Amino acid sequence: MKRILITGGAGFLGSHLCDRFIKEGYHVIAMDNLITGEIRNIEHLYPLSNFEFHHHDVSQFIHIPGELDYILHFASPASPIDYLKIPIQTLKVGSLGIHNCLGLARVKNARVLIASTSEVYGDPTVHPQPEEYWGNVNPVGPRGVYDEAKRFQEAMTMAYHTFHGLETRIVRIFNTYGPRMRLNDGRVLPAFIGQALRGEDLTIFGDGSQTRSFCYVDDLVEGIYRLLLSDYPQPVNIGNPVEITIKEFAEEIIKLTGTNQKVVYKPLPTDDPKQRQPNISKAKAILDWEPKVSREEGLRITYEYFKSLPEEELYKAAYHREFTT
Ligand code: UDP
């Protein structure tokens, strides 16, 4: 049985990856410090003998007994509200955390796949963004802690690949949505659905003309699975190229929830990218991958998930956890 370590395994993406690798017959070790991850995302896996959960901060030395075939590094705060609240941890998990993962991979002779992001392109001046584009990032702006941590993470991973001959893979993830997003993580989809369910107006930042391209989580997981098993060490974009303005997106959510809410306009956050759309030619050519789930279907499933949560979840303070650096 192949053994895989998934850091950030209790998070939104990490937990879906745990499910997928369990389904593929792997022994899955999920690791998470639960700063932004949630136990409820993985507790259905607890009874399985091929699943383990380690409550650990990967910015500290990682100890895993036994063999490892693969490591997926998905531990990181990943929404603007999270990394603005916990900037130091964001930088640490992208630097110290990846260093620990790469060191562990060398000892275990494991292949490493790291979660990078479309944020490495910053506020892009090239559209759509191919992997060859180097980006337009402000290192000292509020998003810098995330963007630069992820850029450093890519550089570190490449260095281990070229210098130590480690097998590495890099996925650049574009906006992804689905069940298990946190209602209070500040991202646009849970924000809008939460507002609609509470009967509040939907808050559009800026004039709503900025664009994003939303990928359903199952499509993303399929792309990551294929990339891990491929032999391609350069970064690969995985995302859904269907682009939409945030204003149109708000209208879709209002229609989906049938709540007739109004939209209100709030100031655009600093360095908020104006447009984002992945160029997925590489994923198509190398992985024979493209997204399959329409936004209509994906949003419907996600909305059902949010509706199924206990009602008090809807009213939890926007952000109420405590952190240490
Ligand atoms: N946004 C918005 N209202 C909200 C939350 C977000 O208009 O309540 C906008 C945000 O300014 C950005 C887009 O929606 O332009 C996507 O934001 P998100 O935080 O989901 O992800 P990003 O792609 O910016 O990292």
Side-chain angles (χ1 to χ4, degrees), residues 13-32:
L13 298 182
S15 65
H16 282 281
L17 288 163
C18 288
D19 286 343
R20 176 64 187 260
F21 283 92
I22 288 284
K23 207 168 126 207
E24 299 291 341
Y26 287 57
H27 184 97
V28 172
I29 304 164
M31 185 169 275
D32 206 296

Side-chain angles (χ1 to χ4, degrees), residues 297-308:
E297 186 187 352
L299 284 180
R300 195 179 40 74
I301 301 167
T302 310
Y303 179 48
E304 290 306 319
Y305 167 78
F306 283 125
K307 271 204 306 194
S308 74

